[in-house]
Amino acid sequence: MNLQHVVIQVIGMSCGYCVKSVENALNNIGARGRVNLKEGSVNVTYDEIRLKLETITNAIEDLGYDIDTGFDS
């Protein structure tokens, strides 16, 4: 097991439902996440041998949220 920790900035989360949705989606793919609504972020711990970061971001985006990459388009 090779645990990694990453903080992902998520645009559009605003309520308890958002927290539960994101945390459940991550749990369903084998990651653990803790949402911080105030910061607009999710702290994710995952096994990089079993899961790719792209899979994690896709799971969040599939819920309708955007990922803030820090780059302007």
Side-chain angles (χ1 to χ4, degrees):
M1 188 178 286
N2 192 6
L3 291 181
Q4 296 295 314
H5 176 77
V6 64
V7 177
I8 300 171
Q9 295 301 124
V10 181
I11 300 168
M13 297 186 301
S14 62
C15 65
Y17 179 79
C18 299
V19 171
K20 191 160 192 78
S21 295
V22 170
E23 289 178 356
N24 285 341
L26 294 173
N27 189 45
N28 288 340
I29 62 170
R32 296 242 169 126
R34 181 168 286 292
V35 172
N36 182 329
L37 280 179
K38 185 178 180 182
E39 299 293 326
S41 65
V42 59
N43 295 302
V44 183
T45 302
Y46 66 101
D47 180 355
E48 76 173 348
I49 293 172
R50 300 180 68 205
L51 196 59
K52 294 181 182 179
L53 183 56
E54 180 180 10
T55 304
I56 294 168
T57 58
N58 286 342
I60 295 169
E61 289 175 328
D62 286 348
L63 295 172
Y65 303 108
D66 292 319
I67 303 298
D68 183 357
T69 61
F71 300 107
D72 292 330
S73 319

